[in-house]
Amino acid sequence: MLSRTADSLYWMARYMERAGNLARILEVADRMALSPTPESVAAPSNSEWRSALIISGTEWAYSQKYSDVTPAQVLHFLALDETNPSSIRSCIETARRNGRSMRTALTREVWENLNDTWLEVRGATPQRLAGSHVRGFLDWARERSLQFHGAATGTMLRDDTYAFTRLGTFVERGDNTARILDVKYHILLPEYAPVGGGRDYYQWAAILRAVSAHRSYRYIYRDSYKPWLIADLLILREEMPRSMTACLGQIVQHLGTLAERYGQRHECHRLAGQLYSEMRFAKISEVFQDGLHEFLSDFISRNMELSDQIRTDFLM
């Protein structure tokens, strides 16, 4: 496969995953902004919406365009702003452009999902983010991302085309899970709001829903929300498909497919295998003892290093 074709497949999948993740992040911000705050002291104004900017890595870009953080401005900036390369609209446009560049490598179902999604989001107006319409738009974006990945999983041959597509998906997904968890634990909960308090409870519920893990948590732990159990689920539990360890497992698997197909292993195979082994044998008690924020920051950094190495070994 030509490196430019592999590059297009990889980034097509990453941007479709990112579009769905942004919809999840904005839904969390919206839920938490509306959640009750039983504590006597109110939370800092718009901290939930600022957290959406931090998770998406667009806080600086937003500050260059707006002087304050408001729900309407954050929603537009992260959902439909054409000047923001990380908005849902821009992500879908970039994914579609990458898909169009190697149309013959895709199945009809994958391409039609990409094209139809782009045509619909291109016609979206600011009114789709107004009032009660917000949830409808975010549900649509999340569902279109899921449909894309479902089409890829259900119709593509298990060859190098599929492997590069899934690599992009899981590199992006693991990064997003780490960022959501880090922002919740390190930034969102005010210092004067107690862990286990009302606000903490509603924030954790929103975070679990953001990664489609609300029922999974209840099924596995059968307990009330506890930070260390939620961290265990989203970091170490491999049966949870959006956990960081599960994403690494998929990366290792698809890199293995490429090694078998091309008869050669690269530095990215070593990096992925090393990080996956460390995650598989980690204990959540040790993670908290060493510092959850430090652990997540290290994972994000090493995941970015792995992504760069995949690009060096296969995509350039």
Side-chain angles (χ1 to χ4, degrees):
M1 178 181 290
L2 294 174
S3 61
R4 65 172 178 268
T5 300
D7 186 76
S8 294
L9 289 166
Y10 178 83
W11 286 105
M12 172 193 69
R14 280 202 71 164
Y15 276 106
M16 280 305 289
E17 177 69 18
R18 189 173 299 178
N21 290 337
L22 281 167
R24 293 171 183 272
I25 289 166
L26 288 171
E27 183 179 353
V28 169
D30 188 50
R31 284 183 181 275
M32 289 195 294
L34 298 175
S35 67
T37 54
E39 286 79 14
S40 58
V41 183
S45 176
N46 292 324
S47 61
E48 294 86 1
W49 296 104
R50 185 173 70 88
S51 74
L53 296 170
I54 295 171
I55 295 171
S56 61
T58 59
E59 187 179 23
W60 183 86
Y62 179 91
S63 68
Q64 300 303 300
K65 188 168 185 177
Y66 300 103
S67 59
D68 58 348
V69 176
T70 68
Q73 289 173 174
V74 173
L75 277 167
H76 183 266
F77 185 73
L78 291 181
L80 297 178
D81 195 331
E82 297 179 44
T83 66
N84 175 18
S86 294
S87 69
I88 292 174
R89 185 189 193 281
S90 296
C91 287
I92 293 172
E93 180 181 10
T94 304
R96 192 253 190 188
R97 183 168 61 248
N98 278 288
R100 186 178 182 183
S101 69
M102 39 76 196
R103 168 70 182 84
T104 55
L106 304 178
T107 62
R108 185 186 67 182
E109 289 80 2
V110 172
W111 168 247
E112 287 182 350
N113 173 274
L114 272 173
N115 198 47
D116 291 349
T117 303
W118 161 239
L119 291 175
E120 188 165 350
V121 78
R122 186 176 63 173
T125 63
Q127 285 69 36
R128 289 200 65 177
L129 300 177
S132 60
H133 298 295
V134 172
R135 292 288 178 85
F137 175 81
L138 297 179
D139 286 345
W140 170 85
R142 188 180 66 250
E143 288 167 5
R144 294 302 294 185
S145 177
L146 289 171
Q147 288 170 15
F148 167 82
H149 296 301
T153 301
T155 65
M156 293 179 70
L157 291 173
R158 275 18 180 200
D159 56 8
D160 48 357
T161 298
Y162 182 75
F164 283 117
T165 300
R166 301 307 281 168
L167 278 176
T169 297
F170 289 107
V171 168
E172 185 70 28
R173 185 175 295 178
D175 178 82
N176 182 74
T177 298
R179 289 177 184 275
I180 286 179
L181 186 56
D182 190 35
V183 168
K184 164 63 188 87
Y185 194 81
H186 193 65
I187 296 174
L188 262 182
L189 187 65
E191 293 181 1
Y192 47 75
V195 173
R199 187 166 187 80
D200 192 41
Y201 178 92
Y202 284 107
Q203 286 181 350
W204 281 123
I207 293 301
L208 286 171
R209 287 191 174 92
V211 293
S212 302
H214 185 260
R215 292 189 178 182
S216 298
Y217 178 88
R218 296 294 192 190
Y219 180 81
I220 292 174
Y221 300 106
R222 303 184 186 278
D223 202 346
S224 60
Y225 298 140
K226 292 181 171 58
W228 55 92
L229 294 181
I230 294 173
D232 180 61
L233 179 68
L234 300 186
I235 296 174
L236 303 179
R237 296 298 291 249
E238 202 158 357
E239 63 269 43
M240 171 58 199
R242 300 190 73 90
S243 76
M244 292 150 59
T245 301
C247 291
L248 280 170
Q250 289 294 317
I251 291 170
V252 168
Q253 176 185 326
H254 294 298
L255 284 175
T257 298
L258 295 175
E260 292 177 5
R261 188 169 184 84
Y262 298 143
Q264 186 177 4
R265 301 181 72 85
H266 299 280
E267 176 65 10
C268 63
H269 291 86
R270 186 190 69 81
L271 291 177
Q274 181 182 32
L275 184 54
Y276 179 50
S277 295
E278 292 177 13
M279 296 288 287
R280 284 189 67 196
F281 294 103
K283 294 182 179 179
I284 200 62
S285 58
E286 296 174 352
V287 170
F288 271 82
Q289 183 177 351
D290 296 336
L292 181 60
H293 173 64
E294 289 73 18
F295 180 89
L296 294 170
S297 296
D298 180 67
F299 175 87
I300 292 169
S301 176
R302 294 175 70 180
N303 190 63
M304 290 176 63
E305 180 186 1
L306 175 59
S307 176
D308 291 341
Q309 193 61 50
I310 290 172
R311 190 177 184 195
T312 299
D313 293 338
F314 289 112
L315 309 180
M316 299 183 70

